Amino acid sequence: MTDTGGAPGGEGADTPTPSQGTPQAPAPGSGEPKPPEDHAASPATPPRGWQPPDSSATPPPGWQAQAPGPEATPPPGWQAPGPQATPPPGWQAPGPPPGQPYSGGPQYAQKPWSPHGLGKPGVIALRPLNIGDILDGAITAIRRHPLLVLGIGAVMAVLTAGLTFLTQKFLFADLQNLASTADLGPGATPAEVQRALLGTLGDVFVVAIPAALVSALLMTVTTGLMAAVMGKAALGREVSFAIAWREVQPRLLPLFGVAVVYAVGTTVGLMLCIIPGVLAWVFWALVAPALVLERGTFKQAFSRSVKLVSGAFWRVFGILLLAYIIQSFFESIIQLPFNAGAGLFSQFLNPGKVYVPSTGDLLLQSAGQIVSGTIAIPFATLVTVIVYLDQRMRREGMDIELARAAGVQPPQAW
């Protein structure tokens, strides 16, 4: 019988079955064949050095994971491009400075905003001002320097009241002529009544015109003095009457000349036609501050005032008109008891009788004018000076000059 080399057993014993798998060759040197392996019962053995792809595997020494999570440790010297990256020494981020809030948006250089512009070393902020800032600056100057400001106002109020009293006293030499309309009687002809009324109005204008001239003259001189005060107060420096007088004294005569021209121009312009007087009042309003603070000549002061007002006529007009209304309101409130004591309101109780003020009545009215002018005159003149500074800050960058003069370093561009 021929030996086939198969394993002994029954017929078909050497034929593989699905449960046994593929027959394995016997190991060399062994006479017995290797039993078959069950691959479903035991897992396959990977080759040597192979690592499984699961997270529990231990990486070889020196290997770094490339996972993008925040727990990943970058290699030495590597910088992440995200917002947590540490900048190199000396590098500064282009965003807002530390402590400043950031409102989002692109990472551009953002300059921190300040409500005071380049600062507020004195009574006004060094930036273009609005109406509230201008009025507040005038009130703040009075509060910080009450003796100086109100002292100047009191001196000018006394001069104004005294000159007004003398003007009324001498120009009303025959005060009884004002009562001629009441003495005509019912039989007076229309021509006589008209003549009497024109005479009364003429006497009133004769008194009102010099009073307006005196008021405008002294207001302009006061504005020049307040310009010297505000020039120091805007920088936060100490100011006294001696310091202000040293600033004004070399330009005192030109200041009086400017005041005379301004008073005559505005008064005559208002008498002839209201519009020329208003134009002169607005375009020449900044003459006194320009003369004192810029130390120019008579002609240069007028040209500077016109230049600063040009292009901002309605704004300057509105601010000056508002200041004049506030001044008149305060004066009326303060003078009310003085005028009532002088019998000024008796005309309303007896319309048929013309009120003729006596010397005592004029003195009482002058006292009320002094008290009210002590407060109202400084306010109105300080508003005019601040308008001058505001126009220069808007047009000529004077806020930077004031900041440097006050020792405030303007911020540099990013």
Side-chain angles (χ1 to χ4, degrees):
M1 184 174 64
T2 306
D3 186 8
T4 58
E11 183 180 0
D14 57 345
T15 304
T17 63
S19 61
Q20 295 176 342
T22 306
Q24 299 293 328
S30 65
E32 297 179 359
K34 185 178 180 180
E37 295 181 355
D38 189 2
H39 293 278
S42 61
T45 302
R48 183 178 299 175
W50 180 85
Q51 295 293 338
D54 56 277
S55 58
S56 59
T58 302
W63 182 85
Q64 297 293 338
Q66 300 296 326
E71 296 83 3
T73 303
W78 180 82
Q79 295 293 337
Q84 288 86 10
T86 303
W91 182 84
Q92 188 172 359
Q100 295 291 337
Y102 178 66
S103 58
Q107 298 289 339
Y108 296 137
Q110 296 187 2
K111 182 179 179 180
W113 179 82
S114 173
H116 300 312
L118 299 181
K120 191 178 180 181
V123 297
I124 59 173
L126 301 184
R127 59 171 174 80
L129 308 174
N130 53 37
I131 297 178
D133 297 328
I134 294 174
L135 300 180
D136 179 73
I139 297 175
T140 304
I142 297 176
R143 291 175 56 189
R144 291 191 182 182
H145 309 282
L147 295 179
L148 174 61
V149 174
L150 297 181
I152 295 175
V155 171
M156 292 303 169
V158 169
L159 293 177
T160 303
L163 292 176
T164 303
F165 171 79
L166 294 176
T167 302
Q168 291 175 345
K169 184 63 178 177
F170 286 101
L171 291 178
F172 282 162
D174 190 6
L175 295 177
Q176 296 300 324
N177 291 334
L178 292 175
S180 58
T181 55
D183 297 336
L184 290 177
T189 62
E192 292 176 346
V193 174
Q194 183 179 4
R195 187 165 51 251
L197 290 175
L198 290 177
T200 302
L201 292 176
D203 292 337
V204 172
F205 274 110
V206 166
V207 175
I209 292 174
L213 287 172
V214 169
S215 177
L217 175 67
L218 293 180
M219 285 288 288
T220 307
V221 175
T222 308
T223 303
L225 292 173
M226 292 300 177
V229 174
M230 183 57 67
K232 302 294 183 180
L235 302 177
R237 297 178 180 176
E238 186 65 27
V239 58
S240 62
F241 182 80
I243 296 175
W245 180 252
R246 283 198 301 267
E247 293 288 332
V248 177
Q249 186 178 7
R251 286 165 290 279
L252 194 58
L253 289 179
L255 182 61
F256 274 111
V258 163
V260 170
V261 173
Y262 180 76
V264 173
T266 54
T267 304
V268 174
L270 290 173
M271 288 179 55
L272 298 178
C273 186
I274 296 179
I275 295 179
V278 172
L279 293 177
W281 179 56
V282 177
F283 278 108
W284 292 349
L286 310 181
V287 174
L291 179 69
V292 173
L293 296 179
E294 298 184 17
R295 303 178 182 180
T297 61
F298 179 89
K299 184 178 180 181
Q300 290 174 348
F302 279 94
S303 62
R304 285 289 295 161
S305 179
V306 173
K307 181 180 179 181
L308 292 175
V309 176
S310 298
F313 174 85
W314 293 109
R315 182 176 184 276
V316 176
F317 171 75
I319 296 174
L320 296 180
L321 181 62
L322 179 61
Y324 177 77
I325 292 174
I326 296 175
Q327 176 191 1
S328 301
F329 176 77
F330 280 131
E331 288 179 341
S332 300
I333 295 298
I334 296 174
Q335 292 179 12
L336 184 62
F338 295 92
N339 293 333
L344 184 63
F345 300 105
S346 62
Q347 181 69 29
F348 298 99
L349 301 177
N350 189 6
K353 182 180 178 180
V354 177
Y355 168 69
V356 180
S358 63
T359 303
D361 295 338
L362 293 177
L363 288 176
L364 191 58
Q365 293 178 17
S366 298
Q369 189 176 0
I370 291 173
V371 175
S372 62
T374 301
I375 302 175
I377 291 177
F379 174 78
T381 53
L382 286 171
V383 168
T384 304
V385 177
I386 297 176
V387 169
Y388 164 80
L389 297 176
D390 176 59
Q391 288 300 113
R392 289 202 61 184
M393 287 191 291
R394 289 175 178 272
R395 297 191 168 210
E396 302 173 356
M398 191 181 182
D399 50 347
I400 300 178
E401 299 179 7
L402 292 176
R404 291 173 177 170
V408 178
Q409 183 64 28
Q412 303 294 329
W414 290 86

